[in-house]
């Protein structure tokens, strides 16, 4: 007890002055312990009755609170005969400081039930406790008491009310309270602005800040931190720069929280250089500011600089938190950073962060993205004893991203077997990789039973699954039953219709979306432009383009790529090139679409020039681009160019792609090198239907019908089902080799074995086969018995055969049918004119030429590359 007395205190038997104890500087330098406080309490009891000096009683209660003896403080409060406002407010505030909000509520109720009316300080304190604990119901009761006692205009009370409503997700009530009080309290303004940020009404927060400036109130560090956070959330860089200017003007730049908010602003707005500059100017850094600058580099996919700043942070001894670790794991989530990711894993184990949910989920995700799915499963198996659904969701999502549908579904089932209920994230992830309709329906049953189908992400994944399984009716039914539809769900359904050739339904859905006042984004417009490409509808495509420009959606690379593709498919290459040239950043998709557009529309030189430009600019070449340019080589019959492209595709590893292989087979075939086509074919491990068909067609065009039919039989033995295009190639092979009986056999096989109804092209092949064999009358009889009405192609085939064999009567019949079906086709007139010239009927030749002039038909002049 000696340290509680002054040096001039006389050592007498009299007890010390209790008032002197609570004012002694030595005592106030360090909080008293519980034992010391009880000792003082004992001296006070000996010296004078406790109720004789209310200040000493309150001070003693405060000392108990500071030492953590809250029960002793409450007992002392009960002993005070007439506690005052200070007594009650002191106890309430100390409970709040120790985050014991329920204790502060109990004291407030006791105070009120004892008939002691609270004052402004009491109400403000208890409202702050309600805000911190988000006890809105009790806060509203206190609000009623505030109104009754007339404390509403008090700055402390009104600030607490604004804070309460803002933190309880009642920002509208917070604004009403704020607007009804006229005060010049910066703290109240800060509460309102912070409330807007908390409730994601960032524009309201910025508007309040402007009002605050207009009221000539000087913002402080808390104000700047809040409005800078609002600018970062809105990606409003220019507004943020203006706030930064205010920070400098007010001298608040040294505040560590303001500095961190500035770094975060520039980082989220993509200006990483300015973020680094702001970080370097901060006089002091904490873990939050370090994490902000690291995250800025991660956001810009600059893993090297993210790692550099992380190392600097560790070197100066700043402790990392879970946000720092998750940011670094995101930086390491690429194959080239796999080794650093393993080092981060070791650091996580050493620092004890592995059991943090966000960290372990990021660790699993990092291994998945680096291609180390095995390691991600190992991490998962080590920590899956923790019944954390989010971790299972990350693992299932990782397997889904790796397109490992089997293990993803198996993990989903195992999760259910272990007594965990898969959530919306697990369900949507596993639905995204299901390609089996039966299994998809089972998952559909589960999400219905679990009540997850009302979630937008699950429902969207569900109808996307049905769409992927070619079940558009069920997909659309799920879509219609969704209680809420966001832009993503509308876009997915529109894309589903467009991808499956139902362009008209895609347009109807797009119009419905507009009527529902849901604004399409660039992804939606890209999907509907795909429908325009399917329909080759230039008018609709232009309307979508105009809408995008009108609503301010335009510079996005994906939308520009869709526009280039649409204009190319609609054969408007000038517009396609204009959109392409206006793109701020050209990507591989748009460039490939332009090359393909030029190639498919006969602009061979432009196609090759653009392909060359892609190579010069170091643009990634995909299989789609290579296939398009190989098609140009085939058109030019330039095997040298084709061989160069073949070598290039081998170099970049695209020769194993089936579309490229098919294009190579077709190119070599059209260039007259069927042996090279076969060599390419034999190197393919698992040919698909297109590849088999291309090889059959190649042999057919080279007159090697027997080899073509051998390839067809090999295809059947491999279990590949032929389609209508395959049978065109097979019948063409029969035609080029006079295999009449085989031709009839394969034509009948189409319907009997595969349920494929013959089309005009198949019948034309049979007519050609019969005609080449000199069986013209049988060909004419065959045409009469066709199950569909013969078109100009069929009659034209017969006409050409009649010209070769000199059958005038049958030739005239075929000619009349051709002109009847296609009166404006110059090819039909030329064919008919040549026919009459061959048989020496020059009067008919003159009539045909006169008829061409009468209907305005002109023969296009011939041209050659030779």
């Amino acid at each position: 007890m000696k340290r509680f007395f002054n040096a001039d205190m006389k050592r007498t038997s009299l007890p010390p002055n209790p008032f002197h104890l609570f004012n002694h500087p030595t005592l106030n330098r360090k909080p008293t312990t519980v034992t010391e406080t009880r000792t003082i309490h004992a001296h006070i009891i000996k010296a004078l009755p406790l109720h004789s000096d209310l200040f000493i009683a309150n001070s003693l209660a405060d000392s108990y609170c500071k030492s953590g003896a809250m029960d002793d403080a409450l007992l002392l409060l009960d002993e005070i005969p007439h506690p005052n406002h200070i007594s009650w407010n002191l106890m309430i505030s100390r409970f709040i400081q120790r985050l014991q909000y329920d204790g502060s509520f109990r004291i407030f109720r006791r105070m009120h039930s004892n008939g002691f009316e609270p004052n402004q300080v009491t109400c403000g304190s208890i409202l702050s406790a309600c805000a911190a604990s988000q006890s809105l119901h009790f806060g509203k009761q206190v609000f009623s008491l505030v109104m009754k006692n007339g404390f509403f205009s008090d700055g402390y009370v009104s600030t607490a009310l604004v804070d309460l409503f803002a933190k309880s997700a009642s920002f509208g009530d917070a604004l009403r309270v704020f607007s009804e009080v006229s005060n010049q309290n910066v703290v109240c303004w800060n509460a309102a602005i912070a409330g807007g940020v908390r409730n994601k009404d960032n524009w309201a927060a910025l508007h309040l800040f402007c009002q605050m400036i207009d009221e000539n109130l000087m913002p402080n560090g808390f104000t700047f931190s809040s409005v800078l956070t609002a600018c970062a959330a809105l990606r409003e860089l220019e507004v943020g720069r203006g706030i930064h200017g205010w920070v400098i003007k007010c001298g608040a730049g040294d505040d560590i929280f303001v500095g961190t908010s500035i770094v975060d602003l520039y980082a989220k707005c993509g200006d990483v250089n300015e973020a680094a500059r702001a970080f370097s100017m901060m006089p002091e850094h904490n873990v939050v500011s370090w994490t902000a600058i690291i995250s800025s580099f991660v956001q810009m996919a600059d893993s090297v600089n993210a790692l550099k700043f992380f190392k600097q942070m560790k070197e100066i001894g700043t402790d990392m938190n879970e946000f720092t670790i998750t940011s670094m794991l995101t930086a390491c989530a690429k194959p080239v950073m796999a080794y650093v990711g393993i080092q981060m894993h070791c650091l996580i184990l050493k620092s004890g962060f592995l059991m943090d949910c966000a960290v372990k989920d990021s660790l699993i995700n990092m291994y998945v993205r680096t291609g180390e799915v095995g390691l991600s499963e190992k991490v998962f198996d080590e920590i899956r004893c923790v019944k954390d659904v989010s971790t299972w969701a990350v693992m299932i999502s990782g397997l889904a991203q790796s397109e490992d549908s089997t293990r993803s579904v198996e993990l989903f089932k195992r999760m259910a077997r272990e007594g965990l209920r898969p959530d919306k994230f697990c369900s949507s992830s596993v639905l995204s990789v299901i390609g089996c309709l039966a299994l998809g329906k089972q998952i559909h049953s589960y999400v219905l039973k679990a009540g997850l189908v009302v979630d937008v992400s699950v429902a969207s994944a569900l109808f996307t699954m049905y769409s992927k399984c070619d079940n558009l009716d069920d997909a659309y039914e799920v879509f219609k039953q969704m209680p809420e539809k966001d832009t993503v769900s509308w876009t997915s359904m529109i894309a589903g219709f467009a991808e499956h050739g139902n362009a008209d339904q895609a347009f109807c859905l797009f119009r419905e979306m507009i009527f529902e006042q849901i604004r399409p984004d660039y992804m939606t417009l890209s999907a509907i432009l795909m429908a325009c490409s399917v329909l080759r509808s230039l008018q609709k495509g232009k309307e979508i383009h105009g809408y995008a420009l009108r609503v301010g959606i335009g510079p996005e690379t994906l939308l520009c790529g869709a526009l280039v593709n649409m204009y190319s498919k609609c054969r408007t290459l000038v517009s396609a090139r204009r959109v392409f040239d206006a793109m701020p950043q050209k990507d591989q998709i748009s460039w490939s679409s332009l090359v393909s557009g030029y190639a498919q529309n006969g602009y061979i030189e432009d196609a090759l020039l653009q392909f060359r430009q892609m190579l010069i600019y170091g643009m990634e070449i995909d299989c789609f681009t290579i296939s398009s340019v190989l098609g140009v080589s085939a058109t030019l019959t330039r095997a040298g160019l084709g061989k160069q492209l073949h070598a290039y595709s081998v170099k970049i590893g695209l020769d194993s792609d089936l579309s490229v292989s098919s294009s190579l087979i077709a190119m070599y075939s059209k260039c007259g090198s069927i042996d090279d086509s076969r060599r390419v074919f034999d190197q393919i491990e698992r040919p698909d239907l297109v590849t088999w068909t291309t090889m059959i067609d190649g042999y057919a065009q080279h007159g090697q019908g027997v080899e073509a039919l051998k390839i067809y039989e090999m295809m059947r033995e491999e279990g590949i089902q032929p389609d209508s295009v395959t049978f065109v190639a097979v019948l063409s092979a029969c035609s080029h080799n006079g295999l009449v009986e085989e031709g009839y056999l394969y034509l009948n096989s189409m319907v009997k074995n595969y349920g494929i109804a013959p089309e005009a092209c198949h019948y034309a092949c049979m007519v050609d086969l019969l005609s080449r064999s000199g069986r013209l009358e049988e060909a004419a009889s065959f045409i009469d018995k066709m199950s569909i009405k013969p078109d100009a192609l069929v009659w034209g085939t017969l006409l050409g055969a009649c010209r070769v064999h000199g059958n005038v009567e049958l030739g005239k019949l075929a000619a009349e049918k051709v002109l009847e079906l296609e009166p404006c086709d110059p090819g039909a007139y030329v064919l008919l004119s040549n026919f009459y010239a061959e048989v020496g009927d020059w009067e008919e030749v003159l009539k045909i030429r006169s008829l061409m002039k009468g209907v305005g038909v002109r023969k296009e002049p011939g041209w050659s590359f030779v």
Side-chain angles (χ1 to χ4, degrees):
M1 284 299 298
K2 289 182 181 180
R3 70 183 182 88
F4 293 113
F5 297 92
N6 276 332
D8 59 348
M9 237 180 166
K10 295 182 179 179
R11 297 179 181 273
T12 64
S13 58
L14 296 174
N17 184 345
F19 180 84
H20 192 75
L21 285 173
F22 285 110
N23 285 277
H24 194 274
T26 305
L27 180 65
N28 289 327
R29 272 203 306 266
K30 180 182 177 182
T32 57
T33 64
V34 177
T35 303
E36 291 169 343
T37 304
R38 287 173 178 167
T39 303
I40 295 172
H41 192 174
H43 278 286
I44 290 173
I45 292 172
K46 289 180 181 179
L48 69 167
L50 186 63
H51 58 80
S52 63
D53 194 323
L54 196 54
F55 170 79
I56 291 178
N58 290 338
S59 299
L60 185 61
D62 187 41
S63 184
Y64 273 124
C65 289
K66 288 179 178 178
S67 61
M70 307 305 291
D71 292 336
D72 289 342
L74 288 174
L75 289 173
L76 179 59
L77 181 65
D78 291 336
E79 293 177 8
I80 301 175
H82 303 290
N84 59 6
H85 280 103
I86 296 175
S87 308
W88 294 104
N89 291 343
L90 181 69
M91 295 299 296
I92 289 171
S93 64
R94 292 306 183 197
F95 269 92
I96 293 173
Q97 288 173 9
R98 301 185 70 84
L99 307 181
Q100 297 181 17
Y101 304 117
D102 289 338
S104 66
F105 297 156
R106 287 196 300 271
I107 296 171
F108 180 78
R109 292 191 186 99
R110 269 177 57 187
M111 174 184 179
H112 194 259
S113 62
N114 288 342
F116 203 97
E117 287 294 330
N119 61 9
Q120 295 94 320
V121 176
T122 317
C123 292
S125 298
I126 208 67
L127 285 169
S128 298
C130 292
S133 60
Q134 296 186 1
S135 304
L136 182 60
H137 179 70
F138 187 60
K140 287 183 176 180
Q141 293 178 339
V142 179
F143 183 31
S144 301
L145 190 62
V146 166
M147 299 299 293
K148 176 183 174 182
N149 293 344
F151 298 152
F152 183 70
S153 59
D154 181 81
Y156 180 48
V157 174
S158 59
T159 300
L161 278 171
V162 170
D163 192 45
L164 165 67
F165 289 124
K167 289 180 177 177
S168 302
S170 298
F171 186 57
D173 292 333
L175 287 179
R176 276 190 288 275
V177 170
F178 181 78
S179 62
E180 291 174 7
V181 293
S182 59
N183 64 71
Q184 299 295 310
N185 185 358
V186 174
V187 179
C188 190
W189 284 91
N190 286 346
I193 293 170
V197 176
R198 176 186 289 271
N199 289 275
K200 298 183 180 179
D201 194 344
N202 296 293
W203 283 116
L206 293 178
H207 181 66
L208 285 168
F209 176 75
C210 294
Q211 285 184 319
M212 180 180 178
I213 299 301
D214 292 339
E215 294 284 338
N216 294 319
L217 287 173
M218 184 63 69
N220 57 21
F222 189 87
T223 321
F224 288 128
S225 296
S226 296
V227 293
L228 286 166
T229 301
C231 292
L234 294 170
R235 305 296 192 268
E236 280 290 337
L237 182 58
E238 292 308 313
V239 178
R241 290 185 194 276
I243 305 296
H244 191 179
W246 267 95
V247 169
I248 296 171
K249 179 180 178 181
C250 298
D254 290 343
D255 187 299
I256 192 169
F257 297 105
V258 175
T260 301
S261 298
I262 292 171
V263 173
D264 188 56
L265 163 73
Y266 288 118
K268 288 182 176 174
C269 291
D271 194 343
V272 68
N273 292 328
E274 196 61 41
R277 189 178 295 110
F279 179 82
S280 65
M281 294 178 66
M282 291 177 64
E284 169 181 11
H285 303 108
N286 61 6
V287 64
V288 179
S289 55
W290 279 104
T291 302
I293 190 62
I294 290 171
S295 299
S296 70
F297 287 109
V298 173
Q299 182 179 323
M300 299 302 294
D302 188 349
S303 302
V304 174
N305 275 312
L307 179 60
K308 174 185 173 182
F309 274 82
F310 180 73
K311 287 180 177 179
Q312 291 178 6
M313 173 185 169
K314 295 297 296 176
E315 286 170 0
I316 65 173
T318 304
D319 291 331
M320 58 186 182
N321 60 18
E322 65 273 20
F323 302 107
T324 320
I325 294 174
T326 53
S327 294
M328 281 306 303
L329 287 173
T330 304
C332 297
K334 54 181 69 172
V336 294
M337 295 289 287
Y339 179 69
V340 181
I342 293 174
Q343 291 180 316
M344 284 299 303
H345 189 175
C346 296
L347 183 61
I348 290 167
L349 291 171
K350 182 179 178 181
S351 56
F353 277 101
L354 184 61
M355 298 314 295
D356 182 271
C357 292
V359 171
K360 63 188 178 187
D361 293 351
S362 296
L363 186 60
I364 292 172
N365 183 63
M366 182 270 294
Y367 277 128
V368 168
R369 291 185 178 275
T370 56
E372 300 288 348
V373 180
L375 288 176
S376 69
E377 288 186 290
K378 187 174 182 180
V379 172
F380 174 76
D381 289 334
E382 288 175 353
I383 62 176
R384 72 184 179 91
C385 56
V386 180
K387 301 295 182 180
D388 191 348
V389 176
S390 69
T391 305
W392 287 80
V394 171
M395 192 64 245
I396 291 172
S397 175
L399 292 171
Q401 291 172 26
S402 301
E403 298 182 358
D404 192 338
S405 58
T406 303
R407 284 197 288 178
S408 179
V409 172
E410 180 56 38
L411 192 61
F412 184 86
K413 293 178 180 177
R414 195 172 80 187
M415 182 180 183
R417 287 197 300 267
E418 294 193 13
L420 289 173
R421 296 186 60 184
D423 62 1
K424 59 184 180 182
F425 302 108
C426 300
S427 302
S428 58
S429 294
V430 79
L431 282 168
S432 68
V433 294
I434 289 178
C436 172
L437 186 59
L439 180 59
K441 287 185 174 181
Q442 292 179 33
I443 305 297
H444 190 177
S445 299
Y446 169 77
V447 298
L448 282 171
K449 182 179 178 181
L452 298 175
V453 75
V454 296
D455 182 79
V456 174
S457 62
V458 174
S460 296
L462 195 56
F463 72 70
T464 302
M465 179 274 297
Y466 279 118
S467 176
K468 191 164 59 176
C469 294
D470 296 326
N471 194 337
L472 276 182
D473 291 336
D474 284 344
Y476 189 48
E477 195 61 35
V478 173
F479 175 79
K480 288 191 296 184
Q481 292 177 6
M482 290 176 66
E484 293 183 10
K485 303 179 183 72
D486 60 1
T487 305
V488 176
S489 55
W490 283 95
T491 301
S492 299
M493 195 67 245
I494 291 170
F497 280 131
E499 288 169 0
H500 286 81
N502 297 339
D504 290 330
Q505 287 180 280
F507 279 110
C508 289
L509 202 61
F510 180 74
R511 283 192 292 268
E512 186 181 341
M513 180 181 180
I514 299 296
F515 291 148
E516 292 285 338
Q517 296 185 341
I518 298 175
R519 180 177 174 177
D521 59 10
Y522 68 95
M523 293 289 291
T524 317
L525 297 182
S526 299
I528 199 65
L529 283 168
M530 186 194 305
C532 297
S533 301
V534 171
L535 289 177
R536 302 292 195 271
S537 176
L538 180 61
Q539 181 61 35
K540 283 186 170 65
K542 286 183 174 181
E543 290 173 3
I544 300 299
H545 192 179
Y547 174 83
L549 294 173
R550 188 168 67 253
V551 298
I553 303 175
E556 284 81 5
T557 300
L558 182 61
L559 178 60
C560 290
L563 283 168
V564 171
N565 183 60
M566 183 273 296
Y567 281 123
S568 298
K569 293 287 178 63
C570 294
R571 299 187 174 185
T572 312
L573 273 302
V574 174
S575 296
R577 183 59 181 271
R578 188 178 295 122
V579 172
F580 179 79
D581 289 339
M583 289 178 65
Q585 185 175 357
K586 298 170 177 58
D587 67 339
Q588 177 264 332
I589 296 175
S590 57
W591 219 323
S592 182
S593 297
L594 187 64
V595 171
S596 175
Y598 279 135
Q600 292 172 7
N601 289 282
Y603 295 90
I604 297 173
E605 184 178 346
D606 290 308
L608 294 175
L609 180 62
Q610 288 303 317
F611 179 71
R612 180 173 176 271
Q613 289 295 106
M614 288 185 74
L615 295 176
I616 291 172
Y617 279 91
M619 192 65 62
E620 181 181 353
I621 305 298
D622 64 356
C623 54
F624 185 72
T625 313
I626 287 286
S627 299
S628 298
V629 183
L630 282 170
V632 171
S633 303
T635 303
L636 295 174
T637 63
R638 291 173 59 181
L641 176 60
K643 287 181 178 180
Q644 291 180 41
L645 291 168
H646 189 179
Y648 181 74
S649 64
V650 171
K651 179 180 178 182
I652 62 177
L654 288 178
D655 58 312
S656 59
D657 183 87
L658 290 175
S659 63
V660 174
S661 298
S662 298
S663 298
L664 284 168
I665 293 170
M667 182 272 298
Y668 280 123
S669 173
K670 289 180 180 179
C671 291
S673 183
I674 191 65
D675 292 336
D676 285 332
S677 293
R678 183 58 186 267
R679 273 191 287 272
V680 172
F681 179 80
D682 289 339
Q683 290 175 0
I684 303 172
E685 185 176 351
R686 292 182 180 178
D688 63 356
L689 177 61
V690 176
T691 313
W692 284 101
T693 301
T694 305
M695 193 65 247
I696 294 169
D697 185 63
Y699 274 123
Q701 298 305 317
H702 280 75
Q704 299 184 29
V706 175
E707 288 297 326
L709 296 181
K710 283 182 180 179
I711 294 293
Y712 174 72
E713 294 302 328
M714 287 171 58
M715 183 188 84
R716 291 182 58 195
E717 290 174 4
E718 291 290 329
I720 305 294
Q721 295 284 328
D723 63 0
S724 61
V725 180
T726 310
F727 278 107
V728 170
V730 170
L731 292 172
S732 178
C734 295
S735 174
H736 283 79
N737 290 268
L739 305 173
V740 177
E741 299 306 321
E742 288 83 351
Y744 276 118
L745 178 67
Y746 287 120
L747 184 68
N748 293 330
S749 175
M750 284 180 62
V751 181
K752 183 178 178 181
N753 298 331
Y754 301 104
I756 302 172
E759 300 172 11
C761 53
H762 301 103
Y763 288 120
C765 286
M766 282 302 300
V767 171
D768 185 55
L769 170 58
L770 294 169
S771 299
R772 283 173 183 264
S773 302
R775 299 157 71 166
L776 297 179
E777 296 298 334
E778 186 178 344
S781 176
F782 179 84
I783 293 174
D784 289 336
K785 295 177 182 178
M786 283 172 54
S787 60
I788 62 173
K789 183 179 179 180
D791 61 1
L793 175 64
V794 175
W795 287 112
T797 303
L798 181 60
L799 176 60
C802 291
R803 174 191 168 189
V804 173
H805 292 281
N807 192 326
V808 179
E809 294 302 320
L810 194 56
K812 287 182 178 181
L813 172 64
E816 290 173 2
K817 294 292 185 181
V818 171
L819 291 180
E820 179 185 329
L821 292 168
E822 292 189 357
C824 296
D825 182 16
Y829 289 96
V830 172
L831 186 62
L832 188 56
S833 175
N834 290 340
F835 170 74
Y836 283 121
E838 289 284 344
V839 297
D841 194 343
W842 297 104
E843 290 184 7
E844 289 296 329
V845 172
L846 292 174
K847 286 181 181 179
I848 294 296
R849 296 294 174 93
S850 299
L851 186 59
M852 287 180 69
K853 292 180 180 179
V855 295
V857 176
R858 290 185 58 193
K859 177 185 178 296
E860 292 293 330
W863 57 275
S864 172
F865 281 107
V866 181

